[in-house]
Amino acid sequence: MVDLSVDLGNNLILDNPVLTASGTFGYGTEFDDFIDLNRLGGFVVKGTTLHHREGNAYPRMAETPSGMLNAVGLQNKGVKYFVDHIYPNLLKYQSKVIVNVSGSTIEDYVACTEYLEGLEGISAIELNISCPNVKEGGMAFGTSCASAEKVVEAVRKVYSKHLMVKLSPNVTDITEIAKSAEAGGADSVSLINTMLGMAIDAKSRKPLLSTVTGGLSGPAVKPIALRMVWQVANSIKIPVVGLGGIMNAEDAVEFMLAGASAVQLGTANFIDPQVTVKVVEGIASYLKEQNIGSSKELIGGLIL
Amino acid sequence: MNKTVQRLVVERKEIVNSDNFILSLKSPIPLVDVQAGQFLSINVEKSKDVFLRRPFSIHDVHYDNNTLDVLIKTVGPGSAALKDVEVGDEIDTIFPLGNSFSKPKKGEKVLLIGGGVGIAPMLYLAKILGPITSNINILLGSRKGEDQILLDRYSEVGNVLTTTEDGTVGEKGYVTDHSFMKNELENVDRIYCCGPEPMMKSIAKLAKEKQVACEVSLENMMGCGFGVCLCCVTDTQEGHKCVCSDGPIFNIEDLKW
């Protein structure tokens, strides 16, 4: 019997290292028909903001080789709606629930977090300082060390439970931003959010997204994500959660070998809504085959 | 009506004409209840050019042998790859997805309108409506005569009317030009419509003018097909709604058209 559990610090212990990526898993309940959500280490629910957001105009999505571009723009009904209408449904799950929090100003982040602080069924928040699809704020916080540290520090003051900070790959040196998040008081960092990209219809000469640019995800970004996870894991002391194009258990294992303590699956959920459970099983099989007793032994196990 | 991920076996492939084909997909277990207007998504595993699943209207359902029919028009790499599947191949599907057309009151006069491959959901819809009303008119529009397909099957479930833009089959023009639309629309209780968006918008306009209830089946680029990626939204009176999970069927009164 292998031990799949991992400890991300500050009381966030997962039964297994498999989480879902925000924005690709709705509020979890959408997957009830497909999987037993209790078999996941946890799930990160849709990006939540202080106020209702209608999101971007459509078209919001373009298929690309080995991935997709999206420009959803954090469509959600706001944190109050989440607490009143979504949160009660999440209490039925035993796996950890993490809420992804976004904002346009530091005050937004803080106010949104305050709504979530006292909720027993929420194990952690993931601070999204890296969404490329909103004009104001969002990624701007994640592309400057000073503002990243400032927003993390402000939220840290009002949130005592596990604080995960989601990092943008759209920077010159992601390790510097990771260090700032750590200095600000983050318990862990998750990376990477989508990479800024674009797609054009040559016939019409028009962009395929209403916002012209959008976030690229899927296997296309995996090598970049893997590299960044490895760099960040070697630069900071807090745990790293890896994501970016993970489609199967082998991909997940690679991220853990690069230094990730846990992984998030995103775009893969669209193609196979049962993929998360398959990855949990696949990691267990891998550990047995390799005669490894605990998934913790995989973390940073890359042989150079 | 739970959504399921299933590997269905291609039991039959019917080439309808140069552009369209039907796949009959057999489930190894009893089919769940499928409503008219719902769709399935297919993971096109054989194509390297296709990353995301492809949504297709459910064309017909045969509970007696656990088979779903999908009418597909070859338009891109996904549908082209599906045309190459062979009888006996397994297809990775998720179904039933989306909401469904509402049902009429007993005996109401209904008009089903399909444009191009938008005729796909109208066959099963007519079959579902059969026990509720015998007053079923099915208006099928296409660009040219050879695109008027499966008329014999539609004739079994309703009174078929046709238009072609080149005038080779049925009345010449768009579906909105058909004499039925000009002379009898006021007597219709409900319109169900699927086809190109400009066509559906024209029909919605007519329906509003004549105060006829009208539902349309929307199409959009979908990331997931079950309401989590929020990519396939459309503008409604209540803001952005997902075509895949809040639709694909919308009452025209709810749309910002």
Side-chain angles (χ1 to χ4, degrees):
Chain A
M1 191 71 183
V2 291
D3 173 18
L4 287 176
S5 69
V6 290
D7 186 351
L8 296 184
N10 194 6
N11 297 316
L12 185 61
I13 297 168
L14 310 177
D15 288 346
N16 64 66
V18 178
L19 299 164
T20 63
S22 174
T24 66
F25 208 67
Y27 293 112
T29 48
E30 294 90 336
F31 283 77
D32 276 339
D33 282 347
F34 302 122
I35 54 170
D36 176 2
L37 271 73
N38 294 320
R39 295 188 62 191
L40 308 183
F43 53 96
V44 185
V45 301
K46 171 101 195 98
T48 302
T49 51
L50 181 59
H51 301 296
H52 171 98
R53 284 185 65 95
E54 201 50 34
N56 292 326
Y58 52 90
R60 291 177 167 185
M61 194 271 284
E63 190 178 48
T64 71
S66 300
M68 62 179 276
L69 281 163
N70 90 81
V72 172
L74 297 172
Q75 180 180 322
N76 79 103
K77 291 186 174 175
V79 68
K80 188 169 186 322
Y81 182 91
F82 171 81
V83 173
D84 293 343
H85 297 93
I86 308 291
Y87 168 69
N89 297 326
L90 300 177
L91 292 170
K92 65 183 175 188
Y93 302 114
Q94 281 113 53
S95 51
K96 301 290 190 291
V97 178
I98 300 168
V99 178
N100 180 282
V101 171
S102 274
S104 302
T105 63
I106 288 179
E107 291 74 26
D108 277 359
Y109 279 102
V110 169
C112 190
T113 302
E114 282 174 331
Y115 270 96
L116 303 166
E117 161 66 14
L119 302 179
E120 267 187 33
I122 307 297
S123 301
I125 61 169
E126 180 182 59
L127 210 60
N128 183 0
I129 57 169
S130 46
C131 178
N133 293 326
V134 288
K135 281 180 186 165
E136 69 285 346
M139 193 171 77
F141 286 103
T143 51
S144 138
C145 290
S147 57
E149 185 170 343
K150 216 169 162 184
V151 69
V152 174
E153 210 169 54
V155 171
R156 177 78 286 170
K157 280 181 188 160
V158 298
Y159 195 72
S160 59
K161 285 194 265 185
H162 189 98
L163 176 58
M164 189 182 292
V165 178
K166 189 168 183 176
L167 304 183
S168 170
N170 303 302
V171 293
T172 310
D173 185 355
I174 196 169
T175 64
E176 293 301 318
I177 308 289
K179 284 176 195 168
S180 300
E182 183 178 37
D187 295 308
S188 66
V189 289
S190 52
L191 60 141
I192 57 171
N193 204 322
T194 53
M195 293 208 69
L196 206 53
M198 71 184 285
I200 295 173
D201 180 344
K203 283 179 190 161
S204 68
R205 302 186 180 195
K206 289 182 174 175
L208 290 177
L209 296 176
S210 68
T211 48
V212 184
T213 62
L216 179 65
S217 62
V221 306
K222 187 190 139 191
I224 299 160
L226 208 49
R227 180 264 292 180
M228 288 186 167
V229 164
W230 178 70
Q231 286 179 322
V232 169
N234 284 297
S235 305
I236 57 174
K237 293 187 178 65
I238 55 175
V240 173
V241 176
L243 70 151
I246 298 175
M247 302 299 284
N248 52 47
E250 195 169 328
D251 290 341
V253 166
E254 290 171 23
F255 272 79
M256 294 187 74
L257 292 174
S261 297
V263 294
Q264 294 181 4
L265 273 75
T267 306
N269 289 302
F270 303 157
I271 294 150
D272 179 2
Q274 297 172 325
V275 68
T276 44
V277 169
K278 290 175 187 170
V279 170
V280 174
E281 289 166 355
I283 293 172
S285 299
Y286 172 87
L287 293 173
K288 273 182 211 159
E289 282 163 21
Q290 298 282 323
N291 207 19
I292 301 169
S294 163
S295 57
K296 296 180 197 77
E297 293 175 45
L298 285 181
I299 303 166
L302 184 68
I303 299 168
L304 292 171
Chain B
M1 206 168 58
N2 290 341
K3 299 180 280 287
T4 60
V5 182
Q6 275 194 51
R7 294 191 78 79
L8 304 181
V9 179
V10 179
E11 188 176 65
R12 189 174 63 90
K13 183 167 79 170
E14 177 186 353
I15 305 296
V16 178
N17 66 2
S18 57
D19 287 339
N20 298 279
F21 60 100
I22 292 172
L23 294 180
S24 289
L25 305 172
K26 192 176 177 69
S27 169
I29 56 171
L31 281 180
V32 293
D33 186 28
V34 175
Q35 302 293 313
Q38 290 190 299
F39 67 97
L40 56 67
S41 74
I42 294 178
N43 185 4
V44 190
E45 293 167 297
K46 280 195 168 179
S47 172
K48 286 179 183 169
D49 299 322
V50 179
F51 178 64
L52 296 165
R53 302 180 82 92
R54 292 290 189 267
F56 297 100
S57 293
I58 291 173
H59 177 56
D60 206 353
V61 184
H62 308 283
Y63 291 105
D64 52 344
N65 70 345
N66 295 316
T67 306
L68 292 174
D69 288 354
V70 191
L71 170 62
I72 299 172
K73 183 179 181 182
T74 314
V75 288
S79 47
L82 286 171
K83 198 173 181 180
D84 292 338
V85 301
E86 290 167 12
V87 170
D89 283 353
E90 283 191 357
I91 303 273
D92 175 11
T93 64
I94 305 177
F95 70 94
L97 295 171
N99 66 353
S100 56
F101 289 110
S102 64
K103 289 185 177 157
K105 291 179 188 141
K106 198 91 182 160
E108 275 189 345
K109 186 171 186 174
V110 296
L111 173 61
L112 283 54
I113 306 175
V117 76
I119 70 168
M122 296 306 166
L123 186 71
Y124 185 54
L125 174 61
K127 286 186 176 181
I128 293 275
L129 298 184
I132 304 170
T133 178
S134 57
N135 213 333
I136 300 173
N137 294 282
I138 308 172
L139 175 53
L140 305 173
S142 65
R143 287 214 172 93
K144 47 192 194 305
E146 59 255 45
D147 294 335
Q148 281 291 353
I149 53 174
L150 306 167
L151 295 182
D152 52 337
R153 282 172 222 179
Y154 285 87
S155 296
E156 289 172 12
V157 290
N159 173 44
V160 171
L161 313 157
T162 53
T163 61
T164 47
E165 288 174 38
D166 66 2
T168 50
V169 172
E171 295 188 18
K172 186 171 180 175
Y174 298 125
V175 287
T176 43
D177 299 323
H178 196 279
S179 52
F180 185 95
M181 298 294 282
K182 289 174 178 163
N183 305 326
E184 296 191 51
L185 196 58
E186 280 154 331
N187 302 320
V188 168
D189 295 297
R190 280 165 205 275
I191 299 172
Y192 302 99
C193 181
C194 182
E197 194 165 294
M199 181 198 95
M200 293 197 288
K201 282 184 171 169
S202 298
I203 290 162
K205 190 167 172 268
L206 279 176
K208 279 182 183 171
E209 281 169 16
K210 305 284 184 185
Q211 296 184 311
V212 181
C214 179
E215 290 176 351
V216 292
S217 177
L218 298 190
E219 194 183 17
N220 204 329
M221 286 281 285
M222 290 178 188
C224 64
F226 42 88
V228 296
C229 75
L230 308 186
C231 287
C232 65
V233 292
T234 192
D235 274 330
T236 75
Q237 306 297 348
E238 295 174 4
H240 283 146
K241 286 199 169 180
C242 283
V243 168
C244 71
S245 54
D246 298 311
I249 313 302
F250 289 89
N251 189 311
I252 57 167
E253 300 296 334
D254 297 331
L255 293 170
K256 279 192 172 172
W257 275 10

